[in-house]
């Protein structure tokens, strides 16, 4: 079966909205019109960048995961909750400014790419900057040199309404969603009912990361991952990638980097 490109899908949805006007619920049609608008706006911005959003609940460790992937302290990690009030972006590659303006993300950190590597010592040998030049771990796959915008979102369950609104707006605009969960709240009904189930059928744009795996034994991690995969499949996301990481120890971070590298390459 041939693939339908985004422009054709958008046009088809717009035609369906016109045909259904007066026949279907107004709220449903308004949602569809909003999707058409967002798709066209996104299509007019950088196709060279993939927007990946790290979403999750208070205390899940999104900011720590961002820092671990970037190899740099970009996002603030603290005891006070919620810590992230506005989204923070780590950006690999030039030209993402208009895209970030559209996303309304003001806090941006441009990450060095291979072209920005240190020129080397007197012998002419290059000295890549550790953890920054490429999204690649010591045992990881080929890294990302350009083309990734990685966002640390405000908590989706924040007690501050404005924080939740900002998070939900960016969830709607991301190209790939990485849901960061923790061992205490991975089965939270609000996460599954409000955020994951509406994405049913779109497992290719969803990754679920069980953070804080360093607090679990290997047997506990395996059992929790199995349960999490079951819950995600019940949400209609069978096939979504589910993995365990520890931002504290680095466990699983190379695997996550590989998924991000794959997404940016596509």
């Amino acid at each position: 079966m041939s693939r339908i490109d985004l422009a054709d899908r958008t046009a088809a949805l717009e035609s369906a909205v016109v045909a259904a006007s007066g026949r279907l619920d107004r709220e449903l049609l308004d949602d569809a019109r909003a999707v058409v608008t967002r798709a066209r706006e996104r299509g007019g911005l950088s196709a060279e960048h993939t927007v990946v959003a790290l979403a999750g609940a208070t205390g899940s460790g999104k900011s720590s995961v961002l820092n671990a992937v970037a190899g740099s302290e970009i996002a603030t990690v603290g005891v006070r909750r919620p810590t992230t009030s506005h989204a923070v972006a780590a950006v690999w590659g030039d030209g993402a400014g208009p895209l970030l303006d559209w996303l309304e993300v003001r806090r941006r950190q441009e990450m060095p790419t291979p072209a920005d590597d240190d020129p080397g010592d007197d012998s002419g040998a290059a000295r890549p900057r550790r953890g920054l030049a490429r999204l690649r771990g010591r045992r990881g796959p080929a890294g990302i040199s350009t083309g990734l915008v990685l966002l640390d979102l405000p908590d989706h369950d924040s007690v501050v309404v404005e924080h939740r609104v900002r998070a939900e707006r960016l969830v709607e605009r991301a190209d790939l969603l990485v849901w960061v969960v923790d061992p205490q709240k991975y089965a939270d009904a609000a996460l599954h009912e409000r955020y994951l189930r509406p994405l049913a059928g779109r497992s290719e744009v969803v990754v679920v990361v069980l953070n804080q795996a360093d607090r679990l034994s290997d047997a506990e991690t395996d059992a929790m991952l199995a349960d999490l995969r079951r819950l995600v499949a019940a949400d209609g996301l069978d096939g979504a990638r589910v993995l365990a990481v520890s931002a504290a120890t680095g466990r699983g971070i190379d695997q996550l980097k590989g998924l991000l590298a794959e997404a940016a390459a596509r």
Side-chain angles (χ1 to χ4, degrees):
M1 184 174 64
S2 62
R3 294 181 60 121
I4 305 174
D5 66 23
L6 180 60
D8 289 341
R9 288 174 182 267
T10 304
L13 179 58
E14 186 175 41
S15 297
V17 169
V18 172
S21 295
R23 296 182 174 87
L24 294 181
D25 180 75
R26 176 178 293 181
E27 184 176 351
L28 176 63
L29 295 176
D30 287 344
D31 287 345
R33 291 188 187 97
V35 170
V36 169
T37 299
R38 286 198 302 273
R40 286 188 170 148
E41 289 174 347
R42 176 65 179 95
L45 296 165
S46 176
E48 301 302 317
H49 287 86
T50 300
V51 178
V52 178
L54 295 173
T58 302
S60 61
K62 301 183 304 300
S63 298
S64 297
V65 169
L66 173 70
N67 292 341
V69 169
S72 181
E73 296 297 315
I74 296 171
T76 301
V77 178
V79 176
R80 182 178 58 86
R81 307 294 182 194
T83 300
T84 306
S85 58
H86 291 80
V88 180
V91 184
W92 285 262
D94 298 328
L99 175 58
L100 287 163
D101 291 341
W102 177 68
L103 293 169
E104 297 182 6
V105 175
R106 306 290 178 239
R107 297 176 59 191
R108 313 166 184 183
Q109 177 67 50
E110 293 186 5
M111 307 305 298
T113 62
D116 300 323
D117 288 346
D118 291 340
D121 54 27
D122 293 338
S123 68
R127 297 194 306 269
R129 298 179 185 179
R130 293 179 299 171
L132 294 179
R134 299 175 187 270
L135 272 178
R136 179 174 62 191
R138 288 189 298 273
R139 298 174 302 281
I144 296 173
S145 58
T146 60
L148 179 70
V149 174
L150 185 59
L151 304 178
D152 175 24
L153 304 191
D155 304 331
H156 71 69
D157 62 347
S158 173
V159 295
V160 183
V161 174
E162 291 84 356
H163 296 185
R164 297 200 304 270
V165 170
R166 291 180 193 129
E168 290 173 2
R169 181 181 183 279
L170 288 167
V171 162
E172 292 177 340
R173 286 160 174 75
D175 301 319
L176 177 70
L177 292 169
V178 177
W179 289 95
V180 181
V181 300
D182 61 68
Q184 293 75 37
K185 293 187 286 187
Y186 76 89
D188 182 64
L191 165 66
H192 292 273
E193 293 174 7
R194 185 169 183 179
Y195 295 100
L196 293 183
R197 289 179 190 171
L199 295 169
R202 286 177 276 177
S203 59
E204 71 280 359
V205 298
V206 176
V207 177
V208 183
V209 170
L210 176 65
N211 191 24
Q212 303 174 14
D214 55 293
R215 301 182 179 181
L216 306 171
S217 68
D218 289 343
E220 289 171 333
T221 299
D222 290 342
M224 203 164 288
L225 281 176
D227 194 36
L228 184 53
R229 290 190 179 99
R230 177 188 63 80
L231 291 170
V232 170
D235 292 331
L237 293 168
D238 191 17
R241 289 149 294 185
V242 179
L243 64 150
V245 307
S246 168
T249 66
R251 173 181 176 178
I253 295 297
D254 283 354
Q255 186 180 358
L256 177 58
K257 290 177 182 178
L259 293 177
L260 300 183
E262 177 188 339
R266 288 203 310 266

